[in-house]
Amino acid sequence: MKIVVDMMGADLGVLPILEGVSKALASKAFEPILVGDAKKAKAFISKDLASKVEVIDCPDFIRMEEQATEALKRKEASIFVGMDILKNGADALVSAGHSGATMGLATLKLGRIKGVSRPALCTLMPSVGKRASLCLDVGANTDCKAEYLLDFAILGYEYAKSVLGYDSPTVGLLANGEEDSKGDSLTKEAFKLIHDYPLFAENTSIFKGNVEGNDIFVNSVDVVVCDGFVGNIVLKTTEGVAGAIGSIFKTTIKEHFSAKIGAFLLKEAFGTLKQKTDYAEYGGAPLLGVNKTVIISHGKSNARAIECAIYQAIRAKESGVVQKMAQAFSHKNPTESTASN
């Protein structure tokens, strides 16, 4: 399995990217194709790692302050070159660089699965249950139509079932109340489309209707559907709250001796909490709806985040989820042929 890893554009530079690749190689068999500044990378690549990776020299990259459309013009940029490699034979791509550039190039070069109106970014959200909740869209589409949200519901359901291995995953539409009458005009229209779509209408146990923000964290449903504007705010708010709670705990423990004793006794519980709320443990956000596997990692990704993003890419490829999504959308558009993986 060939996985393209974009080394450029991440907040912490190339070192965490290379460390993440090295750790992933220790657990999984795959062929990394590293795209980026070869001179910068060389300083951190050991002889052992050098024998296992291919490095494509691309010093140019799309900076965070640049417009995503720049990526369409910069053929020498790392993400442009990486996406070409993915299109022409590699199996997956992982990038912690400019997310807008990655999404734009993926849509342009790989193409959407036939029947998909817009690709969506999805992410796993911490939950008190055994299953994490899958939320989409979390930023690919800030302005949505109701039919986009229907597509997100189908994409999320297939990803939860095929990649996450959820048995009989359930779907909910994020609104400001559980009643069918709640929501703005977009969610009300989307509710009807999802409710009446054959996949959900024929199995009424899948679509649970409207869910509220607090339902995301108690696993009331496995897949939470929303537009990218709302989803991105939910994601960033969740990250902020998790970070704030962690800081409060650390400050309190340092200030009080009794708290230090309590923290020691609850070390295992705190470890579980950190694992559930740490973005690095989830790796990145898959871009669902394009014809190959693309994982978009957080800009501040550490080595663990890149490692987990690679595992996520491997699981997605091995599950054949792109083909399964194409099959699902062939039922939506029976006159169109399915997409290739």
Side-chain angles (χ1 to χ4, degrees):
M1 187 181 298
K2 294 183 178 180
I3 298 181
V4 180
V5 180
D6 181 10
M7 294 190 292
M8 308 302 289
D11 296 351
L12 303 178
V14 301
L15 179 57
I17 309 294
L18 296 173
E19 288 178 339
V21 171
S22 181
K23 289 180 178 181
L25 279 168
S27 300
K28 297 286 185 179
F30 67 98
E31 296 180 32
I33 303 173
L34 308 180
V35 183
D37 192 325
K39 288 183 179 179
K40 287 182 178 179
K42 187 177 180 181
F44 303 112
I45 297 179
S46 64
K47 289 183 178 180
D48 179 59
L49 182 60
S51 65
K52 299 175 182 177
V53 302
E54 178 183 357
V55 179
I56 307 296
D57 187 29
C58 294
D60 186 30
F61 66 98
I62 309 301
R63 288 155 180 80
M64 293 298 182
E65 65 271 16
E66 294 184 277
Q67 294 293 321
T69 51
E70 279 295 309
L72 308 181
K73 312 169 191 174
R74 303 253 287 277
K75 296 183 179 181
E76 301 301 319
S78 61
I79 189 61
F80 193 104
V81 173
M83 203 65 71
D84 265 346
I85 296 170
L86 177 61
K87 177 183 177 181
N88 294 315
D91 298 296
L93 179 144
V94 172
S95 176
H98 197 301
S99 57
T102 304
M103 289 186 287
L105 283 169
T107 304
L108 178 69
K109 289 185 170 292
L110 307 176
R112 299 191 301 271
I113 292 171
K114 290 188 176 180
V116 174
S117 303
R118 294 288 190 280
L121 272 177
C122 75
T123 190
L124 291 172
M125 305 293 281
S127 167
V128 297
K130 291 183 179 179
R131 292 180 174 182
S133 300
L134 187 70
C135 186
L136 73 165
D137 178 25
V138 293
N141 308 276
T142 53
D143 296 302
C144 285
K145 297 179 181 179
E147 52 263 36
Y148 300 175
L149 270 63
L150 169 60
D151 288 356
F152 300 164
I154 300 169
L155 291 168
Y157 173 79
E158 289 295 334
Y159 192 86
K161 184 172 65 172
S162 300
V163 179
L164 302 180
Y166 288 0
D167 181 40
S168 303
T170 54
V171 178
L173 180 65
L174 188 61
N176 62 333
E178 295 180 354
E179 298 83 4
D180 296 359
S181 59
K182 290 296 181 70
D184 56 14
S185 57
L186 172 65
T187 52
K188 287 178 181 177
E189 186 180 352
F191 183 100
K192 180 171 174 51
L193 288 179
I194 298 171
H195 181 273
D196 294 343
Y197 186 71
L199 171 65
F200 307 112
E202 293 168 6
N203 189 342
T204 55
S205 64
I206 299 176
F207 181 54
K208 299 297 185 181
N210 288 338
V211 295
E212 297 179 90
N214 57 294
D215 289 311
I216 296 172
F217 308 102
V218 296
N219 198 223
S220 295
V221 293
D222 298 309
V223 179
V224 178
V225 175
C226 58
D227 66 75
F229 180 80
V230 171
N232 193 259
I233 291 175
V234 168
L235 175 61
K236 297 295 174 60
T237 302
T238 303
E239 291 176 350
V241 170
I245 291 173
S247 296
I248 291 170
F249 272 128
K250 288 178 182 178
T251 301
T252 303
I253 290 168
K254 288 179 181 178
E255 292 177 348
H256 303 281
F257 180 72
S258 58
K260 291 180 181 179
I261 296 174
F264 177 77
L265 296 174
L266 292 171
K267 187 176 181 181
E268 186 176 342
F270 281 134
T272 301
L273 176 64
K274 185 180 186 300
Q275 187 176 35
K276 281 200 170 193
T277 58
D278 187 359
Y279 75 91
E281 294 299 321
Y282 300 108
L287 182 63
L288 306 184
V290 293
N291 281 314
K292 282 198 171 181
T293 298
V294 175
I295 308 294
I296 298 177
S297 295
H298 204 297
K300 61 180 181 180
S301 289
N302 56 22
R304 176 61 176 170
I306 298 301
E307 178 188 1
C308 291
I310 292 170
Y311 296 153
Q312 196 173 32
I314 291 171
R315 286 196 303 270
K317 174 61 181 176
E318 289 178 341
S319 72
V321 67
V322 173
Q323 292 171 320
K324 292 174 182 177
M325 287 177 178
Q327 185 63 30
F329 277 89
S330 73
H331 298 309
K332 182 185 176 188
N333 300 273
T335 58
E336 295 181 317
S337 60
T338 60
S340 59
N341 189 354

